[in-house]
Amino acid sequence: MFTKEVYVARRAALLAKMRAAGEKGIILLIGNAEAPAQYKDNCYKWRQDSTWLYYIGLDEPLMAAVLDIESGAETLYANDVDIDDIIWMGPQPSVRSKAESVGIGLTQPYSMLDTDVHAAQNIGRPIHYINPSRYFNTLRLMQLTGKENVADGASAPLTEAIISMRLVKQPEEIAAIDFACDLGYEMHSAARDAIKLGIVEQDIVGKMEAVALAKGWGVSFPTILTQHGETLHNHGHAAVIEPGKLMVIDAGVESNEHYASDFTRTYPTSGKYTTKQREIYQIVYDCNELAFSLAKPGITYRDVHLATARKMLEGLSALDLVHGDLDEMVAKGIAGLFQPHGLGHNMGLDVHDMEDLGENKVGYDPDQTRAKQLGLGSLRMARRLVPGHVITDEPGIYFIPALIEKFKKEGLGYDFVNYAKLESYYDFGGIRIEDDVLITADGARRLGSRRLPASPDDVEASMQK
Ligand code: GLY
Ligand code: MN
């Protein structure tokens, strides 16, 4: 947790934004509850709601808060423990002391939340809430507001105010993300050092996730570790490591403070890239470097995505896998055949920060619309960059036989794509290189104190050690 003053200032800023927008009524924030995995007392690993963590900081289940836009009163709703709780969980601090630890003046039992929200509703006060990230909170909001469709009733001004604050990371958050990235570095190094022919992928996953659990909260999303990188989110780890393959490792640590890291590296399982692998790797590496060099305040990440798409097509042209005018190919979305995802996303308390509030609301400026094209259409962060944005830089090239065949069958890209040569890449797999990047006052810097080896030479050298 940060200091009390951080949470007090964040809530004050949120209330001020709502007042400045002419809003009245109350802001209702709901923390997560325990979620049973098999039965009531055997739950999924506890994880607090990220917006709750941002404004309230208390990392415990079954809490809610009401912030009164007009009076500024702040109330924490939570239950003090009784003797049964003490038997199972030990003594706990009082709700009042928890509230005080984050600068909240008033407390009420959790059951009073319904009474107070209904009372506000009955006198016509607007109830501002955000789209809930969990089903339990959807049900709670249905009970509290009487709305059938909770998502449609989410407050646009509140959502906008929260996004505007969480998108621009504060210095203490940047330090927390740097730390999560240092843990990510350590986890990825353990993974790289564990790559060995003949072992099962799961062996490596166990070794790397041990770092995440020993030094942080755990992984920030289910680890992707696969010799089939062309399957973008492959969560199976049963395969034996074979010679001559490419292994994509896309994984992050969530720190104890709940800030994420998210890195991807692609290793040659035999320790050296083949010529064919190196040629493609170099293109992806060049795209990653180009994106980093372009990322600075004022440019949109959409334009950075498009610049890397052009660079990718230039590299693929040199290998005679595509041919034609680069700008025309970019406009026609030919890069999407090779990289059917976006260049990156926002990152913070969530690895894809705030996507529960709406991908487009988080990743797109009001004057931007999301493209439909394959690749560009999956871009989750398109905004004009400002200092404090934390984004990922993760270009990739994948040879997905089913997708290439579909393009071919539908006659797509016939003027540009060398389908005959592409067939020799059907067993290639995929390559992705991902770093986490902070936009600074005049440019950008990669997060974490050290960068994982990324150039083909550096990756090979790191595998020799
Ligand atoms: N690194 C996983 C993702 O960005 O989806
Ligand atoms: Mn990512």
Side-chain angles (χ1 to χ4, degrees):
M1 260 178 76
F2 300 120
T3 60
K4 176 202 286 198
E5 289 70 29
V6 168
Y7 300 103
V8 169
R10 286 177 182 174
R11 293 193 304 271
L14 181 64
L15 286 166
K17 275 179 182 283
M18 292 297 276
R19 288 183 200 124
E23 298 301 328
K24 295 193 179 337
I26 60 171
I27 295 171
L28 168 60
L29 297 174
I30 307 185
N32 280 342
E34 293 277 20
Q38 293 102 350
Y39 50 90
K40 175 172 88 51
D41 291 325
N42 193 6
C43 293
Y44 288 107
K45 184 173 171 178
W46 164 247
R47 173 56 155 84
Q48 183 57 285
D49 176 80
S50 294
T51 296
W52 176 272
L53 282 174
Y54 187 83
Y55 289 103
I56 312 287
L58 298 172
D59 197 1
E60 291 172 47
L62 216 60
M63 291 181 156
V66 167
L67 315 179
D68 192 311
I69 297 171
E70 284 133 281
S71 75
E74 300 179 329
T75 310
L76 176 70
Y77 295 81
N79 293 331
D80 274 311
V81 293
D82 58 20
I83 185 64
D84 276 345
D85 299 316
I86 292 171
I87 291 170
W88 293 97
M89 298 153 53
Q92 307 287 320
S94 67
V95 169
R96 181 158 296 279
S97 69
K98 289 175 192 169
E100 277 167 8
S101 75
V102 292
I104 294 181
L106 303 167
T107 62
Q108 287 282 14
Y110 191 77
S111 61
M112 281 299 291
L113 181 66
D114 298 67
T115 312
D116 289 357
V117 170
H118 291 150
Q121 236 174 357
N122 287 341
I123 56 169
R125 302 192 73 196
I127 315 292
H128 296 273
Y129 65 86
I130 51 173
N131 187 50
S133 59
R134 294 230 185 139
Y135 192 55
F136 174 87
N137 288 358
T138 303
L139 293 176
R140 285 298 284 129
L141 281 166
M142 286 170 80
Q143 292 162 346
L144 287 163
T145 65
K147 289 190 167 89
E148 277 287 308
N149 191 337
V150 163
D152 282 355
S155 164
L158 179 63
T159 304
E160 198 179 305
I162 290 173
I163 290 172
S164 72
M165 290 181 68
R166 285 183 57 192
L167 260 186
V168 178
K169 271 61 181 179
Q170 298 173 309
E172 59 271 10
E173 294 189 278
I174 294 165
I177 298 170
D178 267 325
F179 181 68
C181 287
D182 283 345
L183 298 183
Y185 176 96
E186 217 177 302
M187 177 169 80
H188 272 265
S189 301
R192 180 195 61 230
D193 294 347
I195 295 173
K196 201 170 151 213
L197 298 180
I199 65 168
V200 177
E201 291 167 348
Q202 188 174 347
D203 284 354
I204 306 176
V205 176
K207 290 197 174 86
M208 62 192 286
E209 294 197 358
V211 177
L213 285 168
K215 304 218 169 162
W217 178 85
V219 290
S220 54
F221 60 96
T223 295
I224 297 162
L225 184 146
T226 178
Q227 295 161 93
H228 280 285
E230 76 281 9
T231 306
L232 299 186
H233 277 185
N234 187 347
H235 295 303
H237 302 133
V240 172
I241 314 273
E242 291 173 29
K245 295 273 196 182
L246 290 166
M247 172 170 288
V248 170
I249 303 182
D250 180 351
V253 176
E254 179 171 322
S255 68
N256 287 332
E257 303 293 340
H258 301 295
Y259 281 87
S261 59
D262 181 7
F263 297 125
T264 309
R265 288 295 183 268
T266 306
Y267 299 99
T269 55
S270 302
K272 282 208 172 289
Y273 298 105
T274 64
T275 303
K276 195 172 179 180
Q277 289 169 343
R278 192 177 252 266
E279 285 168 350
I280 300 296
Y281 191 98
Q282 187 66 45
I283 301 172
V284 180
Y285 176 69
D286 290 344
C287 290
N288 173 291
E289 290 284 321
L290 176 69
F292 180 65
S293 72
L294 292 175
K296 58 163 105 45
I299 192 169
T300 68
Y301 213 46
R302 183 181 187 278
D303 282 346
V304 180
H305 171 106
L306 290 171
T308 59
R310 193 177 193 283
K311 184 93 193 157
M312 189 174 284
L313 291 165
E314 187 183 71
L316 293 168
S317 293
L319 296 177
D320 194 32
L321 287 169
V322 296
H323 43 75
D325 181 72
L326 291 179
D327 294 321
E328 200 182 343
M329 284 196 277
V330 171
K332 294 233 158 91
I334 301 300
L337 175 60
F338 303 94
Q339 185 196 291
H341 64 71
L343 178 64
H345 50 86
N346 291 288
M347 193 186 78
L349 282 162
D350 310 305
V351 65
H352 286 193
D353 215 20
M354 295 178 280
E355 286 189 359
D356 53 331
L357 303 183
E359 262 182 54
N360 293 350
K361 289 193 178 89
V362 174
Y364 286 73
D365 286 322
D367 63 346
Q368 293 178 315
T369 46
R370 194 160 174 163
K372 296 226 177 343
Q373 228 170 43
L374 189 64
L376 184 59
S378 292
L379 181 61
R380 307 173 110 94
M381 170 54 168
R383 284 181 183 262
R384 194 167 296 283
L385 300 177
V386 301
H389 278 162
V390 168
I391 52 180
T392 63
D393 167 9
E394 52 178 309
I397 293 180
Y398 315 87
F399 297 93
I400 308 171
L403 180 64
I404 298 167
E405 286 294 322
K406 180 175 186 291
F407 261 56
K408 195 158 90 174
K409 200 164 137 209
E410 294 175 4
L412 298 169
Y414 251 102
D415 296 341
F416 308 106
V417 180
N418 186 347
Y419 284 109
K421 187 161 185 195
L422 265 184
E423 275 179 32
S424 66
Y425 284 79
Y426 278 13
D427 61 353
F428 183 94
I431 293 174
R432 178 162 66 254
I433 306 172
E434 176 177 25
D435 296 312
D436 303 333
V437 173
L438 169 72
I439 304 305
T440 60
D442 53 5
R445 77 166 170 86
R446 295 192 178 96
L447 285 148
S449 43
R450 285 173 296 181
R451 186 185 186 201
L452 286 162
S455 73
D457 286 344
D458 287 351
V459 171
E460 287 183 353
S462 72
M463 294 190 79
Q464 303 312 312
K465 285 193 193 132

